Amino acid sequence: MPTKSVFDERISKFKNKGKDPLKLREKRISVCVELRKAQKNEHVLKRRNITLSSLPDDEPLTPDPQPGPGHTLLSQEKNPPLKEIVVGGLLSHFVDFLSMDDEPTLQFEAAWALTNIASGTSWHTQQAVWALGNIAGDSAVYRDTLIECNVVPALLARITPDTPVGYLRNLTWTLSNLCRNKNPFPPLSAVQQVLPSLVQLLHLSDKEVLSDACWAVSYLTDGSNDRIDVVVKTGIVPRLVVLMGHHELAVVTPALRCLGNIVSGSDVQTQTAIEAGVLAALPPLMRHAKPSVQKEAAWALSNIAAGPCKQIQQLITCGLLPPLVALLRNVSMMATVVVGDFKTQREAVWAITNLTSGGTVEQVVQLVHSGALEAIINLLQVKDSKVILVILDAINNIFMAAEKLGETEKLCLLVEELGGLDRIEMLQNHDNETVYQAAHSLIEKFFMGDNLEVLTTDATEDEFVFHAADVKKTFEF
């Protein structure tokens, strides 16, 4: 079909059989699907405020008697005046210095000072951790400057069984910001330092710690297969699958994102997720009350459907087709569930197209029997040209499967009975030239010549009405 150029960008992100096998082995590009989060929520995730009144009051606060240069004070071998520097307000100045791009030496000295403060007692570090987390989340440059100053070991040393939960939350959040940004990605050496502690944090019960630890892992898996592999090899995938079923949305969302990233990797990495139980965890999320969760679940499923036929069969065996078709139909499978939105349907359409592209003939037949063909035909009326092209590609794939069984005529009759022929013909008048070409190609290839012998037509004032003789309700290849 003449739609290949339109699909190149999206299809290159999947594991379709039609791709160059060498490129498939060398690299898989993860799908850039982001959760639509409110701007204020992103701001809260990136920046948190800690006031002096919220910190432990172990000692009376005293003003800094000699507010001298921070580096000199912190360089004292014994008892550097960390608390005095904090109370004297130097932390805010260190943070300001980090934004002076034209003074790299001053930037480095400020990062060094903050790292040293983070190595102090709990009182000192809570102030420094707050500052470090904000700095690390601002940009990859600031993040890497802090990493070069050995901030990671300083923070990890504060994570102990006795660490108060409030302090632990801020430490986890700061670590997650040190994992953020991918232009460039964090150094692998820092990632390998952080991962063991993230694994430990993911086994705690506090929802804020779990949420930020999951977000950290989601940032680390949002990259090449090599980076995904570093995470997978920690053995944390089964725990992430468990967290997909957590009762708090703040935990479910990043855990689902982690698994979505992992199954966008290699077939081996996807199989690791499947063996950890991700297929059983997806159906409830595809029926979730939040459309954003439904969309993420459909995206994860579309990546699994882009795998080899063995994984597609596991998807079918685990009962993923009914909830997938329900998303396509925009119909709730539970009375209490809010119906999904078009963005979710778009991801579900990609799942169907990937399955028809990489699945066996028998698997495509099962897909048709599930009601997926009718569902995607109904979506041919949407305004999104890209979605229409993806649907037409899926229909073409289904016809190719029918050809292999010598049952093209039966499929033509079914498509006509479902209203598909009328809709495809209408698309020949579409404003988008590529849509027109794709629709015309389908009509010309499968609905002309011998395939039309079993159809009769009656002329009306505006159009031809097609009638199929002896149409079977159930499509049987």
Side-chain angles (χ1 to χ4, degrees):
M1 294 181 66
T3 61
K4 183 176 180 181
S5 61
V6 180
F7 300 139
D8 283 346
E9 181 180 356
R10 175 77 187 241
I11 289 179
S12 67
K13 300 171 184 176
F14 288 112
K15 300 166 285 189
N16 297 317
K17 286 188 174 181
K19 293 169 62 178
D20 186 333
L22 180 59
K23 292 182 180 179
L24 186 61
R25 288 192 298 270
E26 292 176 344
K27 183 178 181 181
R28 297 188 186 275
I29 303 173
S30 62
V31 180
C32 298
V33 177
E34 296 185 358
L35 291 176
R36 273 50 171 180
K37 301 180 62 182
Q39 185 176 4
K40 69 174 185 178
N41 289 339
E42 172 67 15
H43 184 71
V44 169
L45 181 65
K46 185 175 176 182
R47 291 184 174 275
R48 293 178 185 166
N49 293 319
I50 299 178
T51 61
L52 286 173
S53 62
S54 69
L55 299 176
D57 191 15
D58 297 333
E59 303 174 37
L61 303 181
T62 56
D64 181 7
Q66 301 178 21
H71 192 129
T72 302
L73 293 172
L74 291 169
S75 296
Q76 296 180 21
E77 293 186 7
K78 294 184 178 180
N79 301 320
L82 300 178
K83 185 172 183 177
E84 285 76 9
I85 287 177
V86 172
V87 176
L90 292 184
L91 273 181
S92 61
H93 292 295
F94 293 153
V95 174
D96 291 338
F97 294 157
L98 275 170
S99 65
M100 297 182 179
D101 295 332
D102 55 341
E103 296 287 348
T105 301
L106 185 58
Q107 283 182 318
F108 186 86
E109 292 291 335
W112 180 90
L114 286 167
T115 301
N116 273 269
I117 295 172
S119 301
T121 66
S122 175
W123 194 95
H124 308 130
T125 54
Q126 287 202 53
Q127 282 287 296
V129 166
W130 163 79
L132 291 169
N134 284 316
I135 295 163
D138 277 340
S139 72
V141 174
Y142 294 165
R143 177 203 67 202
D144 290 346
T145 300
L146 293 176
I147 290 174
E148 289 172 9
C149 291
N150 293 317
V151 71
V152 173
L155 293 173
L156 297 181
R158 316 311 304 176
I159 300 176
T160 70
D162 299 325
T163 305
V165 66
Y167 184 18
L168 195 60
R169 289 170 180 170
N170 287 305
L171 284 166
T172 308
W173 168 71
T174 297
L175 288 175
S176 74
N177 274 354
L178 286 166
C179 297
R180 286 175 74 97
N181 296 311
K182 53 181 182 179
N183 189 26
F185 286 98
L188 274 176
S189 57
V191 171
Q192 290 168 337
Q193 280 182 309
V194 170
L195 271 174
S197 294
L198 288 178
V199 171
Q200 292 180 346
L201 293 169
L202 284 170
H203 284 87
L204 300 182
S205 58
D206 183 76
K207 67 177 183 180
E208 290 187 32
V209 170
L210 288 174
S211 178
D212 285 325
C214 282
W215 278 117
V217 175
S218 77
Y219 304 144
L220 297 180
T221 53
D222 186 14
S224 66
N225 288 1
D226 290 342
R227 287 189 172 267
I228 293 174
D229 213 44
V230 171
V231 175
V232 171
K233 285 181 176 178
T234 65
I236 197 58
V237 177
R239 177 59 179 166
L240 292 171
V241 171
V242 171
L243 293 176
M244 287 171 63
H246 198 275
H247 61 278
E248 290 287 346
L249 182 62
V251 177
V252 171
T253 300
L256 175 55
R257 174 66 63 83
C258 290
L259 267 299
N261 289 340
I262 291 170
V263 298
S264 72
S266 69
D267 293 341
V268 173
Q269 291 161 350
T270 299
Q271 190 60 36
T272 300
I274 291 175
E275 292 172 358
V278 69
L279 292 176
L282 283 175
L285 300 181
M286 295 169 73
R287 305 182 185 107
H288 199 277
K290 290 285 185 179
S292 60
V293 174
Q294 293 180 12
K295 183 184 69 175
E296 286 281 311
W299 167 63
L301 185 60
S302 73
N303 279 303
I304 298 172
C309 56
K310 176 185 175 182
Q311 292 177 352
I312 291 175
Q313 188 56 49
Q314 289 176 295
L315 179 159
I316 294 172
T317 302
C318 288
L320 272 295
L321 290 185
L324 178 61
V325 172
L327 290 180
L328 288 167
R329 290 173 173 166
N330 208 15
V331 173
S332 171
M333 295 181 68
M334 297 173 61
T336 58
V337 174
V338 177
V339 172
D341 61 3
F342 177 67
K343 294 175 183 177
T344 302
Q345 289 179 306
R346 184 169 55 199
E347 295 302 329
V349 165
W350 272 106
I352 296 297
T353 302
N354 287 340
L355 195 154
T356 61
S357 176
T360 65
V361 171
E362 292 75 15
Q363 289 167 345
V364 174
V365 171
Q366 286 182 275
L367 182 68
V368 173
H369 287 168
S370 72
L373 177 60
E374 180 181 8
I376 61 175
I377 284 175
N378 291 335
L379 285 173
L380 284 173
Q381 303 176 88
V382 302
K383 296 180 180 181
D384 191 318
S385 297
K386 291 182 179 179
V387 171
I388 293 174
L389 288 168
V390 176
I391 293 172
L392 293 176
D393 196 41
I395 294 173
N396 182 70
N397 292 339
I398 295 171
F399 266 108
M400 289 192 295
E403 276 187 322
K404 292 178 181 179
L405 294 174
E407 299 200 359
T408 305
E409 290 185 1
K410 288 185 179 180
L411 181 56
C412 286
L413 294 175
L414 179 63
V415 170
E416 189 276 334
E417 185 187 53
L418 296 174
L421 182 56
D422 289 341
R423 291 192 174 98
I424 295 171
E425 285 188 322
M426 289 296 295
L427 290 175
Q428 293 182 110
N429 300 317
H430 201 279
D431 293 337
N432 186 293
E433 176 69 17
T434 311
V435 171
Y436 156 71
Q437 291 290 348
H440 179 72
S441 178
L442 267 177
I443 295 291
E444 191 174 58
K445 186 175 181 181
F446 301 111
F447 292 94
M448 299 292 288
D450 293 341
N451 291 330
L452 286 183
E453 290 182 0
V454 295
L455 301 176
T456 61
T457 61
D458 292 332
T460 66
E461 291 183 0
D462 302 316
E463 61 183 352
F464 286 106
V465 178
F466 288 80
H467 301 284
D470 300 324
V471 174
K472 296 185 179 180
K473 296 294 184 181
T474 303
F475 183 35
E476 296 177 357
F477 282 132

